[in-house]
């Protein structure tokens, strides 16, 4: 017997050992992944939907499902990425939508006899945060079609709103069993699925009972046994038993990878996320973490080797995925119908409202105050009718009318300022005709999607408006938009360092050395492994927040489109998508934004009417007052909206505003976009005549001439794309969306070649073209639209006018609105004293809870120079450590005979009494 091996190659030896007699090309071994968690499973998935799609396409998968925990948080991004993806063979990646539902805690005695899946009434899922291995059971549900998606989204919404608390949905099992109507496929799931869990804990008989409970709830044709492969020692045995149980129960079998990240390289990140979720270090989590990092996407060839013991399973998995695949576009909702009087439809009613209100803004049609106004209105109405958006304008007008009827200051801004119809209806304060604003920047036949109108509302009363929308359209058809909180450098460093076992004081030091928008590296003393891990965490979703004011309203239960859950703020229900995902899905968003200056202006108008006898509104303030511009040129702008920062104050004497449009430029100039794009100093030099106006290429003149050849506004970037790169109106609108997106840099990068190629075709030198592209990139997320700047400039002028003529009332209003703006109450008081206004201290017998005005005995109050200004009496709410409610109680109890009487009647704590004494409130 010899020791010589036969002449067999390693490849042939592998073939004989594995039993793979033939290896088909990838295209002939199809595969589809039906169980996949994205980063929108929040600390339980380590790859974004786009990364998962890219890897699935690279591997040649026929279809991919996203099945995040208790929601559809990532499906819009998944659908967008899949729409762009192509496999190596050029085929599209089919999309399957589902979710993994958390059914509630399971323990001894937790389920009534005869109902293996059932839990005590009202039992909610244990919060996944803070638990190394959260309890409860999972149910993996796939939608067979758009109807199945709607049904699944609706039951998730019901569970999220059922009262278990944020992140703790409570599912009604009977409702689940009745909701599917054959439009779902239910898989037995991971180790937390009822069937695998029973198998591990109690053996095959218990697992079979759970399986039969599932088929009893959802039907034999809708339940499938799921085989998973994570290279664990028990995989083969478990999968063999599950296949046998499926045969005994008369149901089919499919396989999945129970995927939590796209590729093996993300395994450590997935473990880190598990540690962060459990609030433990990786060392403390060691016993709970998987022994192998195998929860990644696999190719059909790799799965064929794993499934060779289960003939037909691979093919059935792919067939099921393709049967369940459908387009995300099938879910697109519409706006609800707007109630109109008998005899009208939405368009004719909109025309009637405009005809009724336009004369208040433009005069009668036969003698219009602004030439061309009614011609422009007719043009806009024709476009609105053609695009089918009259209901949108009616809905916004209804909200504005509610504000007017309830004495709430409200002003539309954003691209709506480009619309004469919006101005005529009182939605905006900007006369688009007078300012020559282009309506097509707001709405055009080439625009992709509905218009966007932002409403600024005085911040103290914004909640009234939000609740009016809920009441008017029903909570089922209205919801707020989410804000997905993603990892930024400081938080990424903290969480990465904590997971790697570093001390809290080290985490504090590293996060302080890292800027809020930049990562810290070795030069900041951060260990390389921490920095590398923090870099991987960057921009991953961490949790769901709420948008500052975005709301959607649609023509059906909003939960048919996207699940809704409670926000932490009482009375707020929020979608699981951010504004970009809502826009992609066709949900129309209304921004109801709180603005502190509007509250201050409202208070100022009230104080002026009470103490000066003058009645003013935003629309009645005299325009283009030279004295006001002289004040602005002198940078006397403490408290003035938008131009009170040190940077703005330094700019005003150089810019020397003389007319309204100069204020528009000032508002837009000191912004990150123009600063990063290198626009500020060139503009100021040209404005001062120290530098010639230079337009790099003649094709740029139309976009840049009015700003001296320097780009300052987003609209100019859009015009440059049209004039210099040959963009169509629709392409220009995509650029607008990209610049306004939370994911702006990535979306603009997708347009880079189109921009540079278009400019090259028009003989624009490469250096100039690259400079234009860099300016567009700098404007992303930070550039200010001209229409926004014009809307804000009206408030700049209004607040400056009030400061100039009514400094006492203006400052008292600012003090009432604190905290607000750049300056402390002490700075505001110091400034108003420099303007000759007396400021009187806090007095328990004279002060209200808020700042008020008092007569000085120096004559009748009037405009500056025509009479005495009243004195400001400081309010009790400004006393440090007193508090809002005690301040109101003290004011309500006036007058007090003496200190003993005050202490007895108010029952304030000793620290509160000491605070009042320190403020001199007892006289």
């Amino acid at each position: 017997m010899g020791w010589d091996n036969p002449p067999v190659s390693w490849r042939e030896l592998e073939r004989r050992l594995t039993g793979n007699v033939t290896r088909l090309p990838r295209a002939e071994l199809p595969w589809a992944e039906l169980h996949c968690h994205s980063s929108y499973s929040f600390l339980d998935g380590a790859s974004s939907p786009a990364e998962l799609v890219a890897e699935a396409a690279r591997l040649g998968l026929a279809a991919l499902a996203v099945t995040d925990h208790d929601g559809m948080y990532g499906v819009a991004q998944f659908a967008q990425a899949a729409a762009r993806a192509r496999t190596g063979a050029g085929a599209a990646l089919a999309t399957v939508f589902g979710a993994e539902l958390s059914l509630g805690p399971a323990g001894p005695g937790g389920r009534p006899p005869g109902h293996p899946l059932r839990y005590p009434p009202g039992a909610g899922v244990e919060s996944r945060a803070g638990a190394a291995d959260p309890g409860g059971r999972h149910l993996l549900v796939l939608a067979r079609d758009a109807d199945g998606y709607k049904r699944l989204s609706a039951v998730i919404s019901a569970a999220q709103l059922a009262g278990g608390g944020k992140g703790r949905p409570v599912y009604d099992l009977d409702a689940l069993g009745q909701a599917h109507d054959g439009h779902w496929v239910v898989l037995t799931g991971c180790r937390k699925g009822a069937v695998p869990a029973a198998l591990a804990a109690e053996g095959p008989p218990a697992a079979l009972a759970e399986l039969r409970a599932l088929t009893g709830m959802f039907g034999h044709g809708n339940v499938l046994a799921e085989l998973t492969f994570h290279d664990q020692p028990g995989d083969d045995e478990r999968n063999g038993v599950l296949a046998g149980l499926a045969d005994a129960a008369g149901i089919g079998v499919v396989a999945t990878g129970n995927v939590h990240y796209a590729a093996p390289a993300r395994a450590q990140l997935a473990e880190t996320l598990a540690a962060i979720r459990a609030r433990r270090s990786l060392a403390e989590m060691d016993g709970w973490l998987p022994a192998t990092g195998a929860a990644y996407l696999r190719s059909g060839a790799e799965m064929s080797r794993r499934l060779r013991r289960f003939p037909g399973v691979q093919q059935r998995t792919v067939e099921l995925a393709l049967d369940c695949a459908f387009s995300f576009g099938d879910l697109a909702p519409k706006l609800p119908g707007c109630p109109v009087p008998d005899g009208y439809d939405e368009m004719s009613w909109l025309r009637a409202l405009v005809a009724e209100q336009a004369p208040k803004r433009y005069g009668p049609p036969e003698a219009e105050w602004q030439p061309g106004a009614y011609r422009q209105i007719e043009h806009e109405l024709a476009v609105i009718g053609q695009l089918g958006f009259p209901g949108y304008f009616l809905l916004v007008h209804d909200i504005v009318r509610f504000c007017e009827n309830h004495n709430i200051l409200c002003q539309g801004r954003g691209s709506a300022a480009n619309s004469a119809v919006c101005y005529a209806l009182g939605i905006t304060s900007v006369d688009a005709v007078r300012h020559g604003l282009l309506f097509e920047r707001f709405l055009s036949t080439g625009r992709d999607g509905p218009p966007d109108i932002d409403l600024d509302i005085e911040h103290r009363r914004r909640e009234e408006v939000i609740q009016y929308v809920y009441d008017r359209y029903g909570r089922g058809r209205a919801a707020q938009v989410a804000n997905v909180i993603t990892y930024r450098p400081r938080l990424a460093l903290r969480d990465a360092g904590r997971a790697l076992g570093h001390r809290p004081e080290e985490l504090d030091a590293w996060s302080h050395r890292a800027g809020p928008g930049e990562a810290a590296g070795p030069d900041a003393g951060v260990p390389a492994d921490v920095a590398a891990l923090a870099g991987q965490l960057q921009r991953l979703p961490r949790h769901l927040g709420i948008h500052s004011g975005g709301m959607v309203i649609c023509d059906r239960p909003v939960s048919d489109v996207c699940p809704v859950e409670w926000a932490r703020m009482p009375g707020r229900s929020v979608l699981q998508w951010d504004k970009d995902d809502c826009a992609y899905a066709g949900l129309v968003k209304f921004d109801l934004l709180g603005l502190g200056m509007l509250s201050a202006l409202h208070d100022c108008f009230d104080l002026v009417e009470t103490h000066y006898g003058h009645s003013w509104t935003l629309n009645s303030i005299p325009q283009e007052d030279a004295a006001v511009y002289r004040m602005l040129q002198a940078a006397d702008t403490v408290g003035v909206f938008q131009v009170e920062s040190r940077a703005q104050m330094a700019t005003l004497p150089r810019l020397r505003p003389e007319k309204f449009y100069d204020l528009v430029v000032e508002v837009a100039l000191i912004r990150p976009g123009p600063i990063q794009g290198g626009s500020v100093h060139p503009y100021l030099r040209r404005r001062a005549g120290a530098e010639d106006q230079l337009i790099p290429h003649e094709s740029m003149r139309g976009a840049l001439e009015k700003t001296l050849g320097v780009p300052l506004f987003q609209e100019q970037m859009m015009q440059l794309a049209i004039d210099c790169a040959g963009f169509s109106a629709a392409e220009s609108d995509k650029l607008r969306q990209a610049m306004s997106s939370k994911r702006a840099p990535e979306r603009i990068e997708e347009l880079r070649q189109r921009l540079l190629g278009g400019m090259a075709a028009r003989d624009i030198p490469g250096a100039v073209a690259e400079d234009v592209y860099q300016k567009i990139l700098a404007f992303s997320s930070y550039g200010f639209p001209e229409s926004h700047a014009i809307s804000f400039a009206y408030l700049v002028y209004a607040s400056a006018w009030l400061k100039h003529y009514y400094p006492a009332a203006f400052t008292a209003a600012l003090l009432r609105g604190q905290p607000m703006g750049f300056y402390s109450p002490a700075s505001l008081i110091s400034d108003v004293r420099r303007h000759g206004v007396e400021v009187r201290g806090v007095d328990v017998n004279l002060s209200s809870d808020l700042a008020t005005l008092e007569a000085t005995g120096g004559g009748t109050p009037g405009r500056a120079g025509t009479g005495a200004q009243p004195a400001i009496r400081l309010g009790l709410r400004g006393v440090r450590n007193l508090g809002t409610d005690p301040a109101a109680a003290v004011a309500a109890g006036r007058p007090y005979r003496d200190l003993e009487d005050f202490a007895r009647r108010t029952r304030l704590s000793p620290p509160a009494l000491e605070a009042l004494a320190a403020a001199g409130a007892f006289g």
Side-chain angles (χ1 to χ4, degrees):
M1 177 178 177
W3 294 99
D4 294 330
N5 287 324
V8 177
S9 68
W10 287 110
R11 185 180 299 276
E12 176 63 14
L13 180 60
E14 183 200 20
R15 184 188 69 78
R16 293 183 185 182
L17 289 173
T18 61
N20 285 341
V21 178
T22 58
R23 285 197 175 211
L24 297 176
R26 181 189 299 169
E28 297 181 41
L29 290 169
W31 179 238
E33 181 54 64
L34 293 173
H35 187 164
C36 182
H37 293 278
S38 78
S39 54
Y40 283 89
S41 274
F42 296 108
L43 304 181
D44 196 35
S47 294
S48 69
E51 290 170 335
L52 291 165
V53 165
E55 182 66 3
R58 188 189 73 82
L59 294 171
L61 269 62
L64 177 66
V66 166
T67 54
D68 286 320
H69 289 293
D70 300 299
M72 303 293 187
Y73 303 97
V75 298
Q77 291 184 41
F78 168 50
Q80 289 180 75
R84 297 190 296 264
R86 289 295 181 270
T87 66
L93 180 71
T95 51
V96 180
F97 304 98
E100 190 169 69
L101 312 184
S102 304
L103 292 186
R111 291 171 288 179
H115 300 285
L117 272 176
R118 297 179 185 274
Y119 303 97
V125 63
E126 175 186 347
S127 174
R128 294 192 302 120
D133 187 21
R137 292 287 174 260
H138 293 172
L139 184 72
L140 192 78
V141 179
L142 303 174
R144 288 188 182 273
D145 48 30
D147 192 25
Y149 175 99
K150 294 173 185 177
R151 291 167 181 268
L152 179 56
S153 179
V155 299
I156 292 172
S157 290
Q160 293 281 9
L161 299 175
K166 188 171 177 64
R168 302 186 65 180
V170 178
Y171 292 93
D172 182 321
L173 292 178
D174 289 327
L176 276 178
Q178 297 165 9
H180 66 93
D181 197 27
H183 293 276
W184 293 350
V185 175
V186 173
L187 307 186
T188 52
C190 63
R191 67 185 181 88
K192 289 186 177 295
V195 176
L199 179 61
E202 303 174 60
L208 183 59
E210 295 282 7
L211 189 55
R212 285 176 172 154
L214 279 176
T215 58
M217 286 179 65
F218 299 104
H220 276 74
N222 300 318
V223 178
L224 296 168
E226 176 183 346
L227 313 183
T228 58
F229 300 87
H230 278 181
D231 298 330
Q232 300 289 325
D235 281 359
D236 287 344
E237 180 181 0
R238 182 192 67 253
N239 288 330
V241 174
L242 285 173
L245 293 174
D247 185 59
I251 65 170
V253 179
V254 293
T256 78
N258 187 12
V259 169
H260 285 69
Y261 38 91
R266 300 291 262 184
Q268 184 192 12
L269 178 60
E271 294 176 353
T272 301
L273 292 172
I276 293 169
R277 185 182 70 248
R279 300 174 188 149
R280 291 169 166 81
S281 70
L282 281 164
E284 293 169 324
M285 281 290 291
D286 188 56
W288 285 281
L289 295 174
T292 58
Y296 55 85
L297 287 168
R298 292 181 170 84
S299 68
E302 186 172 356
M303 289 307 300
S304 71
R305 295 195 296 272
R306 293 170 180 267
L307 289 169
R308 61 182 178 271
R309 289 181 51 215
F310 305 99
V313 167
Q314 182 167 7
Q315 181 180 353
R316 285 197 295 273
T317 301
V318 175
E319 289 173 352
L320 174 64
L322 295 178
D323 284 345
C324 292
F326 64 91
S327 169
F328 191 74
D330 296 346
L331 304 169
K334 298 178 181 177
L335 277 169
C338 190
V340 298
D342 291 342
Y344 290 91
D345 59 18
E346 289 183 341
M347 191 64 223
S348 62
W349 181 235
L350 178 63
R351 283 185 173 276
L353 286 174
V354 172
E356 175 189 330
Q357 298 191 41
K360 301 174 186 176
R361 299 279 191 152
Y362 287 120
E366 64 276 7
E368 58 187 8
W369 303 333
Q370 190 65 47
Y374 282 94
R375 182 174 65 252
Q376 177 63 27
I377 286 174
E378 184 54 41
H379 164 68
E380 293 185 16
L381 288 172
V383 173
I384 291 168
Q386 180 182 347
L387 295 176
F389 290 133
Y392 180 89
F393 289 82
L394 292 174
L395 289 171
V396 177
H397 176 259
D398 179 71
I399 295 171
V400 171
R401 186 177 58 186
F402 170 82
C403 293
E404 291 173 349
N405 292 341
H406 291 79
N407 195 25
I408 301 171
L409 276 190
C410 167
Q411 174 179 281
R413 66 172 164 97
S415 57
N418 294 51
S419 168
V421 166
C422 286
Y423 180 64
L425 288 172
I427 292 171
T428 66
S429 299
V430 178
D431 184 348
V433 180
R434 181 163 74 91
H435 292 294
L437 301 178
L438 190 61
F439 176 69
E440 282 67 26
R441 290 290 174 270
F442 170 55
L443 190 63
S444 71
T445 54
R447 182 185 171 107
D448 180 17
D452 186 16
I453 299 178
D454 300 338
L455 293 179
D456 284 325
I457 301 163
E458 50 180 296
H459 77 289
R460 286 197 300 260
R461 303 190 64 188
R462 181 174 67 125
E463 190 63 24
E464 295 176 49
V465 184
I466 289 173
Q467 294 304 323
Y468 168 73
V469 173
Y470 279 128
D471 294 342
R472 173 103 165 121
Y473 301 101
R475 191 168 292 275
R477 294 173 184 263
Q480 291 204 260
V481 177
N483 182 29
V484 179
I485 309 302
T486 58
Y487 271 104
R488 294 303 185 195
R490 286 179 174 173
L491 181 57
L493 276 174
R494 281 188 173 278
D495 277 3
R498 187 180 295 112
L500 292 172
H502 290 277
R503 301 188 310 276
E505 54 268 28
E506 292 179 289
L507 308 181
D508 291 340
W510 298 336
S511 64
H512 287 142
R513 290 173 196 152
E518 58 185 31
D523 56 335
V526 180
D529 59 343
V530 175
L533 200 53
Q536 292 184 62
L537 285 171
Q538 294 258 2
R539 306 194 75 173
L540 280 180
R542 196 182 194 281
H543 59 274
L544 202 67
I546 187 168
H547 186 274
S548 57
M551 294 195 77
V552 298
I553 309 170
C554 64
D555 63 336
R556 67 194 71 173
V558 70
S559 61
D560 282 359
V561 184
C562 176
V564 176
E565 57 189 59
W566 289 117
R568 294 198 184 279
M569 185 177 293
R572 302 281 193 92
S573 47
V574 60
L575 290 167
Q576 294 182 340
W577 295 342
D578 68 11
K579 65 184 183 70
D580 294 336
D581 293 343
C582 287
Y584 176 76
L587 283 166
V588 179
K589 176 175 67 71
F590 302 81
D591 278 337
L592 308 178
L593 305 171
L595 190 61
M597 181 51 71
L598 283 177
S599 295
L601 292 177
H602 195 160
D603 281 351
C604 188
F605 289 143
D606 290 346
L607 289 168
V608 167
E609 185 166 11
T610 300
H611 295 277
Y612 297 75
H614 303 152
S615 180
W616 297 105
T617 68
L618 284 174
N619 294 323
S620 67
I621 288 175
Q623 299 297 304
E624 303 297 67
D625 188 313
V628 174
Y629 284 106
R630 286 194 295 272
M631 185 186 83
L632 289 165
Q633 291 168 9
D636 183 7
T637 56
V638 170
V640 176
F641 183 64
Q642 289 286 305
V643 294
E644 63 172 343
S645 72
R646 294 298 182 191
Q648 294 279 7
M649 284 184 172
T651 305
L652 283 166
R654 299 174 64 190
L655 181 67
R656 297 192 61 79
E658 298 174 345
K659 58 184 184 299
F660 179 77
Y661 195 77
D662 294 339
L663 299 183
V664 177
V665 170
E666 179 67 33
V667 166
L669 193 62
I670 307 302
R671 299 278 170 181
I675 291 170
Q676 293 177 17
S679 298
V680 177
H681 293 296
Y683 181 86
L684 291 174
R685 288 195 297 268
R686 295 175 192 187
R687 170 84 180 189
E691 178 180 299
D692 291 336
Q693 177 175 317
L694 175 65
I695 295 179
H697 192 272
E698 190 58 31
S699 64
M700 302 177 182
R701 185 170 299 279
L704 302 180
E705 190 164 31
K706 70 177 177 179
T707 54
L708 309 181
V710 178
L712 299 179
F713 305 110
Q714 279 190 1
E715 288 91 338
Q716 290 176 293
M717 299 303 175
M718 296 165 63
Q719 193 64 51
L720 285 173
I722 292 172
D723 295 344
C724 304
F727 271 41
S728 66
E731 287 177 311
S732 175
D733 192 59
K734 287 182 180 178
L735 177 61
R736 176 194 62 80
Q737 293 178 23
M739 287 192 291
S740 303
S741 169
K742 190 175 181 179
R743 298 176 285 276
E746 297 93 329
R747 293 184 62 177
I748 289 175
E749 180 62 29
E750 294 172 4
L751 299 171
R752 176 188 173 92
Q753 291 306 316
R754 173 69 182 91
L755 283 161
L756 295 180
M759 285 187 275
R762 284 155 182 78
D763 298 324
I764 295 176
V768 174
E770 182 62 32
D771 182 60
V772 170
Y773 174 76
Q774 291 301 326
K775 281 182 166 54
I776 291 174
L777 191 61
F779 268 69
S780 66
S781 297
Y782 298 112
F784 219 55
E786 183 181 26
S787 48
H788 277 63
I790 291 174
S791 297
F792 276 179
Y794 270 89
L795 299 184
V796 173
Y797 181 85
S799 55
W801 189 87
L802 288 167
K803 177 182 173 69
H804 181 72
Y805 287 111
Y806 302 100
F810 181 68
T811 303
L814 293 179
L815 292 172
R816 287 175 166 224
Q818 294 300 303
M820 182 180 69
F822 282 81
Y823 293 96
S824 67
S827 296
L828 295 172
I829 291 167
S830 177
D831 177 74
V832 79
R833 280 175 170 156
R834 285 196 299 271
H835 288 78
V837 175
E838 180 186 354
V839 180
R840 297 170 177 173
V842 177
D843 188 304
V844 294
N845 275 327
L846 297 173
S847 291
S848 179
D849 59 332
L850 298 171
T852 55
L853 299 181
E854 295 177 351
T856 61
T860 303
R863 291 197 193 179
T866 63
Q869 290 288 322
I872 297 174
R873 173 67 70 179
L874 297 181
L876 291 160
R877 194 179 293 183
V879 175
R880 185 176 298 178
N881 299 326
L882 181 60
T884 300
D885 292 339
V890 169
R894 297 180 301 180
Y896 302 99
R897 292 191 303 275
D898 50 35
L899 184 58
E900 182 180 348
D901 177 52
F902 177 85
R904 178 177 54 80
R905 289 170 54 196
T906 60
R907 299 181 181 276
L908 292 179
S909 66
L913 291 171
E914 291 173 7
L916 285 168
F922 297 120

